[in-house]
Amino acid sequence: MPETHIALDRSARVATIDRRIFGSFVEHLGRCVYDGIYEPGHPTANEDGFRLDVVELVKELGSTTIRYPGGNFVSGFRWEDSVGPREQRPVRRDLAWHSLETNQVGLDEFSRWLKLTGSELMLAVNLGTRGIQEALDLLEYANHPSGTALSDQRIANGTPQPHGIRMWCLGNEMDGPWQTGYMTADDYGKLAARTAAAMKTADKDLELVVCGSSGSGMPTFGDWERTVLEHAYDHVEFISAHAYYQERGGDLGSFLASSVDMQYFIDTVVAAADHVGSKRKSAKKIAISFDEWNVWYLDEHQASQEVDDEWRVAPRQLEDVYSVADAVVVGNLLITLLKNHDRVRSASLAQLVNVIAPIMTEPGGAAWRQTTFFPFSVTSRLARGEVLRPAVRTGGYETAVHGTADVVDAVATHDASTGASAVFLVNRSLTEAERVTVDVRDLGAATVREALSLFDDDVYAKNTLAEPERVGLRANATATLADGVLTVELPPVSWTAVALG
């Protein structure tokens, strides 16, 4: 059996964990909101129409921050439509996803849903078809206590306390020609800077996210970040990054190494941001909000007939059903986000329910966990304290897309206050198990508290409405700790988490 050797040292600290790295994303798209989190006729629905079975799964998932309401949707969104008496809210066309938006769920209802899940709101403003004044109006409605026209309107609408939203996205994917109102980097950078400056005048403590590139394959990637930050650097705290991955042409080996591209993406954005900061002689460091990331079978969506000439409410769109291999990639992408947590300070798995999501629902029926649910929920639960960058000696394999990739990838966390540690690992080998030894003597670990793996003889096995528990986590009985060395065997195409204490 091939072997990998890993050494952990508390001095190899990446960053203290910010829980916002375990965020997610809810967009008014397909059945994410309607027939997803919101279904008034469902047996578990509360007085607001929210499915409480979904709430329980979101809590189990461990998502901490929810980006809302888009996504491409936000670039045509009129926020005023979504507040006030529900019976008076207009139905609008959503050009982004060619559907009808009823506005039955809006800011005030969604904030109440967030309280049920224990999540924090990250709110996006429309800079595609709207601008500075609308962003300021939304900020006033959401956050001002009382005594102004818009804050008093919120109170009259039944929300006496301000929402207290701290993190705001300045538009969405403004580099993409699919985006309503997309712009050049120069035009967007100027608008974002002016909007950010105005919002900071209203509240200097806001945390603002400027749009970065929609993917590493965009023709303006890198230069977009530089140009936008030349304008907005002094006014924002974050720049966004979006990345989606899928298996193409049966090339599973390249797909399993998708995090190599994510690392390239992060390195490029950091270099561009630091270049601008250096030119400005600024001590400030721009952080990355990786606020859209996931496996998404976009090619299949674009070739499908999901979008037609009919305008419908909550059509079934982007309802990818995920495999074991997809979940292993998601777990590996989480490892990469944690390894770069000194600069990636916030992230959002896109999306949360039904739409390329870890949670699926059937109208009037069940809710269940997709395969991708498991690595996210376990990592969110176990990762505490400090992220540690491991020293890994492992074999390599050749991929058609990413060149040579490591067979094993890993990251670790350690909480000095409790003595608890966790190691997260993936084995990308298609055929061979890997024996891994991890030197944890510096962590003071005495026992293996828990060892869980996600794998299957069929790497394309999935959870469905008919078989909602076909795939799940398995206890990994090979994990042992002796003389400060953890030994664990990783099955082929697997994700594993080991908790130590």
Side-chain angles (χ1 to χ4, degrees), residues 425-441:
L425 309 110
V426 291
N427 179 9
R428 295 168 173 159
S429 173
L430 303 184
T431 58
E432 292 188 292
E434 187 87 6
R435 180 179 290 110
V436 179
T437 60
V438 188
D439 186 341
V440 296
R441 287 174 294 178

mmCIF file of all heavy atoms in Angstrom, residues 425-441:
data_model
loop_
_atom_site.group_PDB
_atom_site.id
_atom_site.type_symbol
_atom_site.label_atom_id
_atom_site.label_comp_id
_atom_site.label_asym_id
_atom_site.label_seq_id
_atom_site.Cartn_x
_atom_site.Cartn_y
_atom_site.Cartn_z
ATOM 1 N N LEU A 425 -8.434 14.955 5.285
ATOM 2 C CA LEU A 425 -7.598 14.365 4.246
ATOM 3 C C LEU A 425 -8.443 13.913 3.056
ATOM 4 O O LEU A 425 -9.603 13.517 3.214
ATOM 5 C CB LEU A 425 -6.841 13.147 4.782
ATOM 6 C CG LEU A 425 -6.060 13.287 6.078
ATOM 7 C CD1 LEU A 425 -6.750 12.497 7.185
ATOM 8 C CD2 LEU A 425 -4.630 12.824 5.912
ATOM 9 N N VAL A 426 -7.844 13.952 1.864
ATOM 10 C CA VAL A 426 -8.446 13.316 0.689
ATOM 11 C C VAL A 426 -7.409 12.417 0.032
ATOM 12 O O VAL A 426 -6.219 12.728 0.022
ATOM 13 C CB VAL A 426 -8.963 14.343 -0.350
ATOM 14 C CG1 VAL A 426 -10.166 15.101 0.175
ATOM 15 C CG2 VAL A 426 -7.879 15.289 -0.797
ATOM 16 N N ASN A 427 -7.901 11.322 -0.499
ATOM 17 C CA ASN A 427 -7.094 10.438 -1.335
ATOM 18 C C ASN A 427 -7.662 10.525 -2.749
ATOM 19 O O ASN A 427 -8.791 10.108 -3.007
ATOM 20 C CB ASN A 427 -7.144 9.000 -0.828
ATOM 21 C CG ASN A 427 -6.334 8.050 -1.708
ATOM 22 O OD1 ASN A 427 -5.597 8.468 -2.599
ATOM 23 N ND2 ASN A 427 -6.467 6.757 -1.443
ATOM 24 N N ARG A 428 -6.848 11.063 -3.677
ATOM 25 C CA ARG A 428 -7.316 11.253 -5.049
ATOM 26 C C ARG A 428 -7.050 10.044 -5.944
ATOM 27 O O ARG A 428 -7.465 10.052 -7.115
ATOM 28 C CB ARG A 428 -6.611 12.469 -5.652
ATOM 29 C CG ARG A 428 -6.950 13.799 -4.989
ATOM 30 C CD ARG A 428 -5.984 14.859 -5.452
ATOM 31 N NE ARG A 428 -6.332 16.209 -5.001
ATOM 32 C CZ ARG A 428 -5.456 17.216 -4.923
ATOM 33 N NH1 ARG A 428 -4.183 16.995 -5.263
ATOM 34 N NH2 ARG A 428 -5.838 18.401 -4.527
ATOM 35 N N SER A 429 -6.362 9.056 -5.429
ATOM 36 C CA SER A 429 -6.069 7.878 -6.249
ATOM 37 C C SER A 429 -7.358 7.188 -6.678
ATOM 38 O O SER A 429 -8.275 6.988 -5.862
ATOM 39 C CB SER A 429 -5.192 6.887 -5.488
ATOM 40 O OG SER A 429 -5.040 5.689 -6.226
ATOM 41 N N LEU A 430 -7.419 6.797 -7.935
ATOM 42 C CA LEU A 430 -8.611 6.130 -8.451
ATOM 43 C C LEU A 430 -8.677 4.667 -8.043
ATOM 44 O O LEU A 430 -9.764 4.077 -8.034
ATOM 45 C CB LEU A 430 -8.645 6.221 -9.979
ATOM 46 C CG LEU A 430 -8.606 7.613 -10.609
ATOM 47 C CD1 LEU A 430 -8.740 7.499 -12.118
ATOM 48 C CD2 LEU A 430 -9.689 8.506 -10.039
ATOM 49 N N THR A 431 -7.523 4.067 -7.715
ATOM 50 C CA THR A 431 -7.484 2.609 -7.555
ATOM 51 C C THR A 431 -6.865 2.122 -6.258
ATOM 52 O O THR A 431 -7.134 0.982 -5.846
ATOM 53 C CB THR A 431 -6.707 1.972 -8.726
ATOM 54 O OG1 THR A 431 -5.377 2.529 -8.762
ATOM 55 C CG2 THR A 431 -7.404 2.242 -10.045
ATOM 56 N N GLU A 432 -6.033 2.945 -5.613
ATOM 57 C CA GLU A 432 -5.262 2.424 -4.482
ATOM 58 C C GLU A 432 -5.601 3.138 -3.181
ATOM 59 O O GLU A 432 -5.725 4.372 -3.145
ATOM 60 C CB GLU A 432 -3.761 2.576 -4.751
ATOM 61 C CG GLU A 432 -3.247 1.686 -5.867
ATOM 62 C CD GLU A 432 -1.735 1.735 -5.964
ATOM 63 O OE1 GLU A 432 -1.208 2.809 -6.335
ATOM 64 O OE2 GLU A 432 -1.090 0.715 -5.663
ATOM 65 N N ALA A 433 -5.717 2.338 -2.119
ATOM 66 C CA ALA A 433 -5.790 2.915 -0.789
ATOM 67 C C ALA A 433 -4.425 3.490 -0.423
ATOM 68 O O ALA A 433 -3.394 3.106 -0.983
ATOM 69 C CB ALA A 433 -6.207 1.858 0.221
ATOM 70 N N GLU A 434 -4.418 4.425 0.514
ATOM 71 C CA GLU A 434 -3.183 5.083 0.930
ATOM 72 C C GLU A 434 -3.076 5.017 2.445
ATOM 73 O O GLU A 434 -4.025 5.360 3.171
ATOM 74 C CB GLU A 434 -3.198 6.552 0.483
ATOM 75 C CG GLU A 434 -1.902 7.293 0.701
ATOM 76 C CD GLU A 434 -0.920 7.151 -0.461
ATOM 77 O OE1 GLU A 434 -1.304 6.562 -1.504
ATOM 78 O OE2 GLU A 434 0.216 7.637 -0.319
ATOM 79 N N ARG A 435 -1.925 4.514 2.928
ATOM 80 C CA ARG A 435 -1.659 4.535 4.358
ATOM 81 C C ARG A 435 -0.998 5.865 4.701
ATOM 82 O O ARG A 435 0.031 6.228 4.125
ATOM 83 C CB ARG A 435 -0.769 3.378 4.782
ATOM 84 C CG ARG A 435 -0.466 3.384 6.294
ATOM 85 C CD ARG A 435 0.400 2.221 6.717
ATOM 86 N NE ARG A 435 -0.326 0.949 6.637
ATOM 87 C CZ ARG A 435 -0.072 0.009 5.758
ATOM 88 N NH1 ARG A 435 0.903 0.169 4.854
ATOM 89 N NH2 ARG A 435 -0.770 -1.120 5.741
ATOM 90 N N VAL A 436 -1.592 6.595 5.643
ATOM 91 C CA VAL A 436 -1.092 7.908 6.010
ATOM 92 C C VAL A 436 -0.645 7.885 7.470
ATOM 93 O O VAL A 436 -1.369 7.402 8.342
ATOM 94 C CB VAL A 436 -2.170 8.995 5.824
ATOM 95 C CG1 VAL A 436 -1.643 10.368 6.232
ATOM 96 C CG2 VAL A 436 -2.645 9.021 4.373
ATOM 97 N N THR A 437 0.558 8.383 7.726
ATOM 98 C CA THR A 437 1.023 8.599 9.096
ATOM 99 C C THR A 437 1.133 10.096 9.331
ATOM 100 O O THR A 437 1.659 10.837 8.487
ATOM 101 C CB THR A 437 2.383 7.929 9.346
ATOM 102 O OG1 THR A 437 3.358 8.466 8.453
ATOM 103 C CG2 THR A 437 2.292 6.431 9.152
ATOM 104 N N VAL A 438 0.621 10.532 10.474
ATOM 105 C CA VAL A 438 0.607 11.953 10.811
ATOM 106 C C VAL A 438 1.285 12.139 12.160
ATOM 107 O O VAL A 438 0.814 11.603 13.179
ATOM 108 C CB VAL A 438 -0.830 12.509 10.866
ATOM 109 C CG1 VAL A 438 -0.800 14.030 11.026
ATOM 110 C CG2 VAL A 438 -1.626 12.118 9.624
ATOM 111 N N ASP A 439 2.383 12.871 12.173
ATOM 112 C CA ASP A 439 3.093 13.165 13.414
ATOM 113 C C ASP A 439 2.344 14.281 14.138
ATOM 114 O O ASP A 439 2.355 15.431 13.710
ATOM 115 C CB ASP A 439 4.535 13.596 13.100
ATOM 116 C CG ASP A 439 5.366 13.780 14.352
ATOM 117 O OD1 ASP A 439 4.791 13.934 15.450
ATOM 118 O OD2 ASP A 439 6.611 13.795 14.240
ATOM 119 N N VAL A 440 1.670 13.937 15.223
ATOM 120 C CA VAL A 440 0.860 14.910 15.965
ATOM 121 C C VAL A 440 1.427 15.151 17.360
ATOM 122 O O VAL A 440 0.729 15.667 18.241
ATOM 123 C CB VAL A 440 -0.611 14.447 16.053
ATOM 124 C CG1 VAL A 440 -1.240 14.384 14.678
ATOM 125 C CG2 VAL A 440 -0.737 13.094 16.757
ATOM 126 N N ARG A 441 2.692 14.807 17.569
ATOM 127 C CA ARG A 441 3.260 14.959 18.911
ATOM 128 C C ARG A 441 3.188 16.389 19.416
ATOM 129 O O ARG A 441 2.949 16.632 20.618
ATOM 130 C CB ARG A 441 4.708 14.468 18.914
ATOM 131 C CG ARG A 441 4.850 12.949 18.833
ATOM 132 C CD ARG A 441 6.293 12.542 18.697
ATOM 133 N NE ARG A 441 6.875 12.997 17.412
ATOM 134 C CZ ARG A 441 8.128 12.803 17.047
ATOM 135 N NH1 ARG A 441 8.962 12.163 17.878
ATOM 136 N NH2 ARG A 441 8.558 13.225 15.876
#
